[in-house]
Amino acid sequence: AATILDGVGQYDISLGNGSLTADNYDFNLVKGKLTIVKADLTVKAEDTARIYGDPNPDFRASYAGFKNGESLISSGISGTPVMLSLATPTSNVSDSTHTIYISNGSLASQNYALNFVNGRMTINKATLAVKADDAAKIYGDINPSFTATFNGFKNGEKVSDGVFTGYPEFNTSAGTTSDVNTYTVTPVLGTLESTNYAFTYQSGVLTINKALL
């Protein structure tokens, strides 16, 4: 007799007289067949995320629908699915989510029919460090035009590639009448905008030197 633990296949259904009786009939007992078909198992590419400019991570799959308290290890499933994404390190953050395609690969099962569900990969902004360049001026002069250095580019990019627009603004407590000393110059967002980069800020130093008298 088939049990819930038996695998896919056909099993005899035995038939006995039980309590059947008849004065005018004999009973011809014919066995039946119980067919056990594959159970549905969902194999899904797990959603994931990465940073702009990085390679795609190793994708993972999750399984749902096991019977009889089985797990991937105890279910008799062999092999692994194939998962891939068309996203590359240069794919933009603005492209939103990228499909992770999943297919059978070498995955095989005697007792489960495998249904595949694609996943999604989100590309997040990389971090670009904006550092105020150190500068100097003479006491009594107006502050110079401050500049910044950018670090953290991906894919071999550089400032001239136009991966961001605008320029930071700079805050400092130093002014025309400030005494000879060193002062912090702090960059802030200003008009900076970028599709693929978020900005962090590092201060520089303004040195005020003595004027000639």
Side-chain angles (χ1 to χ4, degrees):
T3 70
I4 60 173
L5 298 177
D6 286 311
V8 169
Q10 283 195 328
Y11 298 84
D12 287 335
I13 302 174
S14 298
L15 180 65
N17 275 75
S19 60
L20 281 173
T21 61
D23 291 334
N24 298 320
Y25 291 94
D26 291 324
F27 298 103
N28 180 27
L29 304 177
V30 180
K31 293 180 179 180
K33 293 288 184 181
L34 170 67
T35 301
I36 298 178
V37 299
K38 290 185 175 185
D40 287 327
L41 187 72
T42 299
V43 186
K44 183 183 184 306
E46 293 184 353
D47 295 342
T48 189
R50 69 164 172 85
I51 300 297
Y52 169 75
D54 289 352
N56 291 337
D58 292 331
F59 299 125
R60 301 177 60 180
S62 61
Y63 299 79
F66 286 113
K67 299 290 187 178
N68 304 320
E70 292 176 343
S71 65
L72 180 60
I73 295 175
S74 63
S75 64
I77 293 175
S78 62
T80 54
V82 170
M83 289 171 284
L84 62 87
S85 172
L86 300 180
T88 68
T90 59
S91 295
N92 291 321
V93 170
S94 60
D95 293 339
S96 185
T97 56
H98 297 261
T99 301
I100 303 171
Y101 298 98
I102 185 170
S103 59
N104 214 87
S106 61
L107 206 61
S109 174
Q110 180 177 345
N111 294 324
Y112 291 96
L114 305 176
N115 302 306
F116 297 94
V117 178
N118 294 331
R120 299 182 301 170
M121 180 174 64
T122 302
I123 298 179
N124 296 315
K125 289 187 175 185
T127 299
L128 197 63
V130 184
K131 184 185 183 307
D133 296 328
D134 293 342
K137 72 164 187 166
I138 301 298
Y139 170 74
D141 289 352
I142 63 172
N143 290 341
S145 296
F146 297 116
T147 59
T149 300
F150 299 83
N151 292 294
F153 288 107
K154 298 287 189 174
N155 303 316
E157 295 167 344
K158 52 188 181 297
V159 173
S160 60
D161 291 329
V163 294
F164 65 83
T165 59
Y167 207 70
E169 294 178 355
F170 301 88
N171 294 329
T172 182
S173 62
T176 304
T177 61
S178 298
D179 293 332
V180 170
N181 207 331
T182 57
Y183 297 83
T184 299
V185 180
T186 303
V188 294
L189 182 63
T191 58
L192 281 174
E193 290 185 354
S194 177
T195 297
N196 295 320
Y197 291 96
F199 303 100
T200 60
Y201 303 95
Q202 300 171 5
S203 297
V205 173
L206 171 64
T207 301
I208 298 180
N209 297 311
K210 290 183 176 181
L212 290 176
L213 185 62

